[in-house]
């Protein structure tokens, strides 16, 4: 039996991770710590909230005193940090909260890990720390040795946290791993993000806003595949290592929108091109060769299968979506 602290577990990826782990490992115990900001929702945890091996704690990872008390009480074996401010547009408007949560919050967690002892601290990061790649070089991919070159306050804060994690490993011998993933999609995805926003707007016959000409390319990863990869890294990864997690699914934003419209049988006339985002990265593309070779991970979903499941989930869970959107509005 092992005890896990999962921060940010009421969010999109953390919530999906907890759904999987609570069911997959019934003998392990899981404590979810979440500040329940706009992106965290108790509704996401409803399927597991009454499980015997699950507990929820309402707390901000920046609360050093509260975090230390929790560590004293629970005696964690593993800490997995999903907690983060993650919306690029919001980071352009208000960078400060991104620095506080993503950098200082990470420091608090690692200081607690040092003080009370853990088997592994895992940092959930993003491909955005690498910056971007040119659209005309399909042969180029991000690897774990690609230099960090952040473009937005969000990605800069995540890059800073990654460097801090690796520094704690080198300086204090803290057992750590980092995963950097491509764009996730799937159930419980926050409605302001691209795919759920486009699905919701299309269902309401509202315009689908696409930045610039929609040519920016992302590598898409179904959230369940991401969660499986993190489980592998935490249990079998090497201390001090970074692992890229990619979906082998590169699509431009415009292609994504057209696929969604086709799935919902909606007209392309709903597409509306809007002013581009400042510093908008051109292309993200991950090479997951390291995790495939070392840990035997491969995504189970293609984008074709994953987007069908995602659209169906959004159609079947309008209550969750409407509840979350009411808080956003």
């Amino acid at each position: 039996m092992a005890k896990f602290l999962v921060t940010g577990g009421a969010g999109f990826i953390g919530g999906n991770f907890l759904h999987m782990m609570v069911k997959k490992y019934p003998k392990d115990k899981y404590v979810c710590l979440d500040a329940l900001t706009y992106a965290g929702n108790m509704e996401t945890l409803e399927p597991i909230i009454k499980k015997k091996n699950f507990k929820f704690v309402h707390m901000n990872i920046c609360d050093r005193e509260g975090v230390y008390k929790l560590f004293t009480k629970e005696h964690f074996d593993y800490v997995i940090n999903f907690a983060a401010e993650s919306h690029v547009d919001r980071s352009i408007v208000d960078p400060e909260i991104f620095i506080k949560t993503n950098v200082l919050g990470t420091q608090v967690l690692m200081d607690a890990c040092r003080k009370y002892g853990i088997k592994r601290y895992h940092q959930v990061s993003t491909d955005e720390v690498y910056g971007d790649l040119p659209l005309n070089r399909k042969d180029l991919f991000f690897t774990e040795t690609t230099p960090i070159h952040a473009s937005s306050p969000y990605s800069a804060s995540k890059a800073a946290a990654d460097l801090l994690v690796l520094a704690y490993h080198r300086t204090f011998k803290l057992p750590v791993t980092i995963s950097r993933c491509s764009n996730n999609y799937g159930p419980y995805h926050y409605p302001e993000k691209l795919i759920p926003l486009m699905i919701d707007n299309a269902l309401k016959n509202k315009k689908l806003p696409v930045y610039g000409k929609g040519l920016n390319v992302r590598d898409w990863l179904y959230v369940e595949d991401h969660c499986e990869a993190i489980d592998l890294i935490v249990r079998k990864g090497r201390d001090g290592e970074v692992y890229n997690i990619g979906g082998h699914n590169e699509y431009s934003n415009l292609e994504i929108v057209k696929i969604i419209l086709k799935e919902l049988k909606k007209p392309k006339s709903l597409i509306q091109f809007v002013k581009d985002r400042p510093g908008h990265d051109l292309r993200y593309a991950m090479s997951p060769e390291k995790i495939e070779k070392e840990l035997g991970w491969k995504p189970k979903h293609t984008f074709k299968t994953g987007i069908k499941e995602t659209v169906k989930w959004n159609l079947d869970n309008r209550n969750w979506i409407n509840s979350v959107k009411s808080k956003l509005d």
Side-chain angles (χ1 to χ4, degrees):
M1 187 190 80
K3 183 173 281 190
F4 291 76
L5 173 63
V6 179
T7 67
F12 166 44
I13 305 175
N16 276 281
F17 181 77
L18 281 167
H19 291 175
M20 180 188 81
M21 298 291 281
V22 167
K23 181 179 179 180
K24 187 175 180 179
Y25 302 102
K27 292 183 179 180
D28 290 340
K29 294 186 180 299
Y30 298 89
V31 176
C32 170
L33 184 156
D34 201 292
L36 295 179
T37 61
Y38 73 94
N41 300 281
M42 289 304 296
E43 293 96 328
T44 299
L45 297 173
E46 194 172 323
I48 58 172
I49 198 71
K50 294 181 179 179
K51 297 291 185 181
K52 292 181 179 180
N53 61 336
F54 176 79
K55 180 192 295 185
F56 177 79
V57 176
H58 185 196
M59 189 186 299
N60 193 304
I61 60 172
C62 296
D63 178 359
R64 185 177 292 271
E65 182 180 355
V67 168
Y68 280 18
K69 285 181 179 178
L70 185 65
F71 270 71
T72 301
K73 178 182 178 182
E74 297 291 350
H75 306 288
F76 297 112
D77 297 296
Y78 300 94
V79 176
I80 305 173
N81 183 25
F82 290 93
E85 295 285 344
S86 64
H87 197 264
V88 175
D89 289 351
R90 288 178 182 262
S91 80
I92 294 170
V93 175
D94 180 18
E96 184 176 4
I97 186 63
F98 285 74
I99 304 303
K100 286 180 178 177
T101 301
N102 298 354
V103 183
L104 299 181
T106 296
Q107 181 192 19
V108 168
L109 290 173
M110 290 195 298
D111 284 344
C113 289
R114 286 183 61 213
K115 184 177 178 67
Y116 296 100
I118 44 95
K119 293 180 179 178
R120 172 159 293 167
Y121 172 89
H122 182 76
Q123 178 76 0
V124 180
S125 188
T126 171
D127 57 0
E128 295 191 40
V129 301
Y130 296 123
D132 63 355
L133 297 166
L135 292 174
N136 62 350
R137 289 293 306 275
K138 298 295 185 182
D139 58 313
L140 295 180
F141 297 89
F142 295 138
T143 71
E144 289 81 0
T145 59
T146 299
I148 285 176
H149 190 68
S151 303
S152 69
Y154 159 61
S155 56
S157 69
K158 292 296 289 185
D162 284 6
L163 293 173
L164 193 62
V165 170
L166 294 174
Y168 268 56
H169 173 67
R170 179 164 180 170
T171 303
F172 304 119
K173 309 304 179 188
L174 187 70
V176 305
T177 45
I178 297 173
S179 58
R180 294 173 180 155
C181 67
S182 50
N183 281 35
N184 278 219
Y185 68 103
Y188 300 100
H189 203 174
Y190 195 67
E192 70 180 354
K193 301 288 188 172
L194 177 67
I195 287 179
L197 175 64
M198 297 304 167
I199 293 173
D200 193 59
N201 280 15
L203 288 172
K204 296 174 180 176
N205 295 310
K206 293 172 61 176
K207 291 293 185 180
L208 278 59
V210 177
Y211 281 129
K213 296 181 180 179
L215 300 179
N216 305 73
V217 172
R218 301 292 181 261
D219 174 27
W220 290 92
L221 177 68
Y222 193 65
V223 65
E224 184 181 294
D225 291 322
H226 183 196
C227 295
E228 293 280 2
I230 291 173
D231 182 27
L232 269 175
I233 294 168
V234 169
R235 294 173 187 273
K236 298 181 179 180
R238 290 183 290 133
D239 281 345
E241 292 294 319
V242 176
Y243 294 90
N244 283 353
I245 310 171
H248 297 295
N249 294 300
E250 284 190 55
Y251 291 91
S252 72
N253 290 344
L254 185 57
E255 287 175 320
I256 293 292
V257 172
K258 288 180 177 178
I259 290 169
I260 289 169
L261 289 172
K262 185 177 180 180
E263 282 292 322
L264 294 171
K265 297 180 173 57
K266 297 289 185 175
K268 294 179 183 178
S269 59
L270 289 176
I271 296 172
Q272 181 181 49
F273 295 102
V274 298
K275 184 180 178 181
D276 207 354
R277 168 197 292 161
H280 200 173
D281 287 338
L282 295 175
R283 172 176 170 253
Y284 302 151
M286 297 286 266
S287 169
E289 184 177 349
K290 180 176 177 178
I291 190 173
E292 290 177 353
K293 286 187 175 180
E294 284 194 17
L295 304 180
W297 175 87
K298 284 196 175 181
K300 296 175 183 176
H301 296 80
T302 64
F303 190 77
K304 184 177 180 180
T305 60
I307 196 64
K308 285 183 180 294
E309 291 185 26
T310 301
V311 169
K312 184 178 186 305
W313 188 91
N314 277 265
L315 289 171
D316 293 343
N317 292 272
R318 301 308 298 169
N319 288 340
W320 182 90
I321 293 163
N322 291 332
S323 174
V324 174
K325 282 183 69 68
S326 69
K327 298 175 186 176
L328 177 63
D329 297 337

